[in-house]
Amino acid sequence: MQETVHVSLGDRSYDVEIGPDLIATAGARIAPLLSRPRVSVLTDETVAGLHLDALRDGLSAAGIEMSSLALPPGETTKRWPQFERAVEWLLAEKVERRDIVVALGGGVIGDLAGFAAAVLRRGVRFVQIPTSLLAQVDSSVGGKTGINAPQGKNLIGAFHQPSLVLADTAILNSLPPRDFLAGYGEVVKYGLLGDAAFFDWLEQNGPALAQGDMAARVQAVTRSVQMKADIVARDETEQGDRALLNLGHTFCHALESATGYGPRLLHGEGVAIGCALAFELSSRLGLCAQEDPSRVRAHLRAMGMKTDLADIEGDLPDADALLDLMAQDKKVIDGQLRFILARGIGDAFVTSDVPRDGVRKLLQDALAAR
Ligand code: GLY
């Protein structure tokens, strides 16, 4: 039960290997990349407690030594102080140009470690071992690396592709259900943006997948990664099509900002709500069938996910304040908000041609339903 997706980027191409228990054979998988048998692993304290011994065993089975630094868990790690600590630790470990840095963790560690690898000695290679569903289907693939600034998320960073991604689907068993479902928001996004048959499949198989069906997990991660790989191969640095991967994210980023990037709203939960809002907006603009937003919401609800603004606890700003937060989005060009809208399930497109009043009314109605 193992799949491989190739990310085709010329001399920066790499494989994403997907399946259960890959960590046990991580050494044999990483060995061909090494010029000497040692790696430096960046992780977080929670993941280290759960998976670092297994990684050490998997590496030593192939004669590879490992040193590690565990950073505090959580989004606040993705700032200059922990980044500086990570880079200086890698230098103290005497990591050389031809060595490999390993990122063992979720999106925070993958982004920070990838950026550290991008700038260390003007660029060393790195391997992603993503431990959250969100990181397996999104952030570990495609080479976006970076940290947050006081002005916003991911504003400091670089495109730096990994040399290998090991998506061990058995590791997902250790995720709290809420984190698993938040990652599932990104999985649903792929069906919604470009593959109606995959969305149909998720409607049928989503519940089994959430309950631990490993074959279904491997299939869902593989299809998601394949879609991302195809888009990244076409548009590595997001000059066009790659923006499709941001379906639901314009709304999501405003909601995350309004809720403080914390436990009130996880990123994947915001993506799910954002996808539902993007389909509602598309329907109101006459772009897709009226049934489509209801179908999107019905699936998210069936999975027990957050679906509407009403599912976010506590106060939210009014519609104009949310619109102002959207204007901080990285996708804004010349002051014009860009949205990912849809002509139907599996048929998304990027547009700047969205009337602000239509978005305001959508948000007002969604806030009034709380
Ligand atoms: N997470 C969106 C992207 O990688 O482009």
Side-chain angles (χ1 to χ4, degrees):
M1 202 194 297
Q2 196 206 304
E3 301 285 345
T4 301
V5 175
H6 186 66
V7 184
S8 195
L9 287 166
D11 60 2
R12 285 165 295 105
S13 298
Y14 55 96
D15 285 341
V16 182
E17 296 175 8
I18 300 151
D21 306 318
L22 299 188
I23 207 163
T25 51
R29 294 169 193 277
I30 293 172
L33 300 171
L34 299 179
S35 59
R36 55 176 171 161
R38 53 168 282 193
V39 295
S40 299
V41 179
L42 288 168
T43 186
D44 75 38
E45 287 154 6
T46 306
V47 172
L50 292 167
H51 306 299
L52 199 59
D53 285 345
L55 178 60
R56 186 179 291 106
D57 291 348
L59 291 167
S60 76
I64 299 169
E65 275 179 33
M66 176 194 107
S67 60
S68 64
L69 175 67
L71 302 174
E75 189 72 27
T76 47
T77 287
K78 238 178 94 168
R79 302 281 289 262
W80 286 119
Q82 294 298 335
F83 178 73
E84 181 180 9
R85 188 178 159 205
V87 171
E88 292 189 356
W89 176 76
L90 291 170
L91 289 171
E93 286 296 304
K94 301 191 170 42
V95 173
E96 297 176 0
R97 255 320 219 337
R98 296 195 304 161
D99 288 333
I100 290 278
V101 173
V102 173
L104 174 72
V108 166
I109 288 298
D111 286 5
L112 181 146
F115 186 37
V119 298
L120 192 79
R121 300 188 190 279
R122 299 206 175 95
V124 301
R125 294 164 304 149
F126 77 115
V127 169
Q128 291 266 21
I129 306 184
T131 56
S132 69
L133 178 57
L134 189 140
Q136 293 194 354
V137 299
D138 185 35
S139 56
S140 68
V141 179
K144 280 188 181 174
T145 72
I147 56 174
N148 301 330
Q151 291 83 353
K153 273 184 83 169
N154 298 324
L155 293 181
I156 304 156
F159 285 98
H160 185 54
Q161 299 291 342
S163 298
L164 175 69
V165 181
L166 298 178
D168 183 333
T169 47
I171 279 184
L172 302 178
N173 292 336
S174 65
L175 288 180
R178 186 179 174 197
D179 288 337
F180 184 89
L181 283 181
Y184 185 78
E186 295 276 3
V187 175
V188 172
K189 177 194 80 176
Y190 288 104
L192 295 176
L193 75 89
D195 187 346
F198 183 45
F199 185 75
D200 293 349
W201 184 89
L202 289 171
E203 286 179 317
Q204 299 302 317
N205 295 281
L209 191 156
Q211 274 151 33
D213 180 327
M214 196 55 75
R217 284 186 178 181
V218 172
Q219 200 170 332
V221 173
T222 302
R223 182 62 193 134
S224 302
V225 170
Q226 183 66 63
M227 289 185 69
K228 179 151 189 182
D230 290 347
I231 290 173
V232 167
R234 289 202 299 274
D235 178 22
E236 183 181 5
T237 57
E238 201 167 311
Q239 307 303 309
D241 267 10
R242 186 163 178 166
L244 290 172
L245 296 171
N246 294 322
L247 175 63
H249 284 61
T250 305
F251 292 109
C252 169
H253 289 157
L255 293 170
E256 280 186 289
S257 173
T259 52
Y261 299 101
R264 272 179 73 196
L265 185 73
L266 304 180
H267 176 70
E269 293 173 335
V271 170
I273 294 173
C275 286
L277 287 169
F279 269 79
E280 181 64 34
L281 182 59
S282 302
S283 165
R284 288 185 181 202
L285 295 172
L287 295 164
C288 72
Q290 284 179 349
E291 297 73 39
D292 286 345
S294 315
R295 195 175 153 202
V296 174
R297 278 203 206 91
H299 178 53
L300 299 175
R301 283 244 172 277
M303 293 296 294
M305 296 169 70
K306 289 187 171 38
T307 308
D308 296 305
L309 297 194
D311 298 324
I312 302 173
E313 282 175 16
D315 292 339
L316 283 177
D318 66 15
D320 280 305
L322 285 174
L323 268 165
D324 287 345
L325 291 173
M326 286 183 187
Q328 309 289 329
D329 198 277
K330 284 197 296 305
K331 293 184 296 302
V332 172
I333 296 179
D334 290 339
Q336 283 280 94
L337 264 178
R338 280 199 303 164
F339 281 89
I340 320 303
L341 298 181
R343 298 183 193 90
I345 287 173
D347 189 7
F349 64 99
V350 186
T351 179
S352 300
D353 188 19
V354 178
R356 195 178 158 97
D357 283 350
V359 183
R360 182 187 290 109
K361 181 75 174 71
L362 173 83
L363 291 170
Q364 282 169 341
D365 291 348
L367 287 164
R370 276 163 59 84

